[in-house]
Amino acid sequence: LEVGLFSAPSRATAPPALFAGPAVTAKQVGRDNWQRTVYSALDDNVAAERLLAGGTLNPAGNWSSYPPHKHDRSNPPQEAVLEEIYFFRFKPAQGFGFIWTYTEPGDPDGFSTVFVVRDGDTVLLPKGYHPVVAAPGYQLHYTWVLAGEERRYGAWSDQPDHAWVKQQ
């Protein structure tokens, strides 16, 4: 058994709960080499105050969090400020992938960093775009948790340069 504990400051009180089986929604997202399965356990189906959580299963060699998206500006209803964390697992375990974290050019606090991720790695995503790719031959799963005041699943903005792939 592997267990992840995630928290965010909250005034809400609720008893602990287990989300399994029918409580977890699964949907196919993307297409071609950026198709993946997104599992949502803690989203609009649960009366939580600040957390959203789930997992994404990438086929070997596929991209995820694509087109690149971000959720670091309050721009209702399209985008909300949500910090995120990814916890990575690979099959087979010696697998690897990459995550590119970056901001738009001209951002006064901008950055552009590529991280090699391996089985058991965690990446914190306080802001910026963050596409992920799995190396060929290695299935990638990552647990994702979002936290923020505006708790809305899907409240993100795709990077304009790459959003066109959704239109084809």
Side-chain angles (χ1 to χ4, degrees):
L1 172 69
E2 289 187 331
V3 176
L5 298 175
F6 305 94
S7 67
S10 173
R11 294 172 301 280
T13 57
L18 173 64
F19 301 101
V24 176
T25 60
K27 61 182 169 185
Q28 295 296 308
V29 177
R31 64 173 185 284
D32 303 325
N33 69 334
W34 51 284
Q35 184 175 27
R36 67 267 186 200
T37 306
V38 176
Y39 298 92
S40 295
L42 182 62
D43 60 16
D44 298 333
N45 64 340
V46 178
E49 187 177 41
R50 296 198 176 143
L51 289 177
L52 298 158
T56 298
L57 185 61
N58 260 34
N62 276 24
W63 286 87
S64 193
S65 291
Y66 200 87
H69 71 275
K70 68 179 186 68
H71 31 77
D72 58 15
R73 301 279 185 270
S74 181
N75 183 21
Q78 182 181 358
E79 186 176 354
V81 178
L82 296 164
E83 294 186 17
E84 191 166 20
I85 186 170
Y86 284 178
F87 174 72
F88 295 93
R89 296 305 248 171
F90 288 87
K91 282 188 183 177
Q94 75 269 20
F96 67 97
F98 300 95
I99 182 169
W100 180 23
T101 61
Y102 64 99
T103 57
E104 289 287 354
D107 183 322
D109 299 313
F111 55 87
S112 178
T113 306
V114 176
F115 296 100
V116 176
V117 289
R118 306 210 54 145
D119 192 58
D121 284 349
T122 300
V123 175
L124 304 176
L125 304 161
K127 72 178 226 173
Y129 300 101
H130 42 276
V132 174
V133 65
Y138 298 101
Q139 183 183 58
L140 164 64
H141 173 272
Y142 58 93
T143 299
W144 47 265
V145 179
L146 296 135
E149 296 287 330
E150 300 177 68
R151 183 184 174 270
R152 289 181 287 120
Y153 182 79
W156 56 72
S157 293
D158 293 332
Q159 185 181 27
D161 287 352
H162 307 294
W164 64 270
V165 299
K166 286 185 171 179
Q167 308 309 316
Q168 287 194 333

